[in-house]
């Protein structure tokens, strides 16, 4: 092989061998690895963590807005500001007509505040549970957790708790509907079946009731099958009067109407009346007495006070007119004879004017004196 051939082979070998890249170095390789790591981290960060952060932020904002809305609504209900005192109708509410409307529709402040704030606490708890549960499920789903067994376990636990505490759940549901429907509230006189008295507190599980003897009853809301509210919106005072069988019914009716007029003219009790009194005819007829009835519509919880004043006026008028109550005719005649025998007379036997007027004996029930001329 000649020298020329050797030179040609060396040149071909040099051409076939790749030349070293002057830019390739360990530092550049490390930079490439860091760049790839950052790209991988950015890809991961923009995946599940970002979605979880968005879920948490959106859930927190939603819960905050719900709580703020619930708080504003419950505070508005607690204050009890009517519709004609809000918005474009505010000038009407501030006028004299608005004051008249406010007086015509009074509200029990304690009852309204307790009902609204209790409903607010229930809505707060419900919003927290619902939004928190949704956030937890969404976050677990983004973390790759299999929610099937988890939801099945929660369902089994919920069924067990529902069976074991169904009476408590029933009490709470009944309490929610009692508050929402405003069946009764603090200060109402109600008949709950087991007890009758004045409501002192209404909670979600129990109702506190104070009866006439001072006993405080705790009645679970889920046990109530019927409720009789004696003091909601308006009431009615009813007084039954049993007079002698042979009494003049028209005269007795006139006396009852006169008694109702006197009660209506009372400066205090008369403000409790919402309508004119109604005197009905013969409600009952027996061998001893004839029953008449006088009734009048009153403000809530004022029917007992009005009925007491009606009875007092009726008794006074019947006493003045000498009309005996049922079964009291013989007692009245005996009382009149005793009063006549005990009354002093002058020596000449002359009876002065007015001496026939008799004073009723307080010891004899139903006793009356003769009608004055």
């Amino acid at each position: 092989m000649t020298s020329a051939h050797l030179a040609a082979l060396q040149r071909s070998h040099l051409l076939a061998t790749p030349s070293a890249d002057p830019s390739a170095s360990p530092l550049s390789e490390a930079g490439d690895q860091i760049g790839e790591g950052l790209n991988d981290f950015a890809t991961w960060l923009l995946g599940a963590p970002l979605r979880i952060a968005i879920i948490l932020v959106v859930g927190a904002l939603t819960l905050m807005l719900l709580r703020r809305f619930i708080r504003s609504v419950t505070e508005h209900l607690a204050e009890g500001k009517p519709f004609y005192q809000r918005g474009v109708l505010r000038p009407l509410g501030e006028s004299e007509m608005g004051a008249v409307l406010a007086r015509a529709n009074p509200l029990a402040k304690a009852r309204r505040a307790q009902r609204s704030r209790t409903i607010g606490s229930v809505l707060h708890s419900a919003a927290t549970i619902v939004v928190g549960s949704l956030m937890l499920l969404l976050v677990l789903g983004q973390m790759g957790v299999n929610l099937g067994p988890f939801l099945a376990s929660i369902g089994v636990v919920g069924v067990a708790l529902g069976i074991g505490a169904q009476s408590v759940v029933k009490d709470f549901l009944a309490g929610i509907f009692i508050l929402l429907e405003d069946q009764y509230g603090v200060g109402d006189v109600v008949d709950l079946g087991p007890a009758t008295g004045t409501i002192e507190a209404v909670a979600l599980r129990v109702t506190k009731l104070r009866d006439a003897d001072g006993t405080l009853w705790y009645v679970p809301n889920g046990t109530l099958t019927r409720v009789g509210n004696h003091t909601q919106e308006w009431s009615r005072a009813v007084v039954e009067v049993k007079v002698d069988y042979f009494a003049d019914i028209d005269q007795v009716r006139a006396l009852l109407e006169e008694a109702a007029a006197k009660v209506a003219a009372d400066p205090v009790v008369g403000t409790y009346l919402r309508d004119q009194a109604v005197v009905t005819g013969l409600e009952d007829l027996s061998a001893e007495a004839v029953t008449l009835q006088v009734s009048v519509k009153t403000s809530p919880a004022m029917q007992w006070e009005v009925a007491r004043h009606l009875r007092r006026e009726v008794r006074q008028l019947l006493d003045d007119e000498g009309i005996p109550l049922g079964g009291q005719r013989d007692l009245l005649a005996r009382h009149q004879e005793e009063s006549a025998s005990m009354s002093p007379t002058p020596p000449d036997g002359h009876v002065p004017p007015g001496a026939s007027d008799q004073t009723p004996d307080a010891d004899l029930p139903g006793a009356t004196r003769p009608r004055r001329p």
Side-chain angles (χ1 to χ4, degrees), residues 139-353:
V139 169
L140 291 177
Q142 293 299 324
M143 295 174 63
V145 178
N146 187 8
L147 297 179
F150 180 72
L151 294 177
S153 302
I154 293 178
V156 172
V157 173
V159 171
L161 290 177
I163 295 175
Q166 55 182 343
S167 62
V168 177
V169 175
K170 183 179 179 181
D171 293 340
F172 273 90
L173 291 177
I176 291 173
F177 282 105
I178 287 172
L179 292 171
L180 290 177
E181 297 173 359
D182 192 20
Q183 297 179 12
Y184 52 81
V186 175
D188 281 346
V189 179
V190 299
D191 180 5
L192 300 182
T196 301
T198 305
I199 298 293
E200 290 196 352
V202 182
L204 289 179
R205 198 183 71 84
V206 297
T207 295
K208 296 181 182 180
L209 182 75
R210 182 84 63 177
D211 64 9
D213 297 331
T215 304
L216 183 61
W217 293 81
Y218 293 83
V219 183
N221 295 326
T223 62
L224 300 178
T225 57
R226 52 90 173 167
V227 176
N229 195 329
H230 297 282
T231 56
Q232 194 171 43
E233 295 182 2
W234 57 273
S235 303
R236 188 179 298 278
V238 179
V239 175
E240 289 188 348
V241 182
K242 296 180 181 294
V243 297
D244 186 74
Y245 183 85
F246 295 99
D248 188 348
I249 301 302
D250 294 334
Q251 182 185 5
V252 174
R253 286 177 58 92
L255 292 177
L256 294 182
E257 293 175 354
E258 183 180 351
K262 287 186 176 182
V263 172
D266 189 276
V268 177
V269 182
T271 59
Y272 304 150
L273 274 61
R274 292 193 174 182
D275 203 348
Q276 293 183 353
V278 176
V279 179
T280 58
L282 300 180
E283 292 292 329
D284 189 21
L285 184 63
S286 64
E288 294 82 14
V290 176
T291 303
L292 289 86
Q293 185 182 91
V294 54
S295 61
V296 59
K297 188 176 181 181
T298 68
S299 301
M302 292 294 107
Q303 67 268 36
W304 298 290
E305 184 70 16
V306 173
R308 283 191 287 268
H309 282 74
L310 275 173
R311 294 188 187 97
R312 186 184 66 181
E313 296 295 338
V314 168
R315 180 194 177 279
Q316 183 65 40
L317 290 176
L318 292 179
D319 189 10
D320 293 341
E321 297 298 326
I323 298 177
L325 296 177
Q328 302 296 315
R329 193 191 337 163
D330 295 337
L331 290 176
L332 176 61
R334 187 176 63 183
H335 170 66
Q336 291 175 346
E337 292 176 358
E338 292 177 354
S339 300
S341 62
M342 294 176 59
S343 60
T345 56
D348 57 357
H350 176 70
V351 179

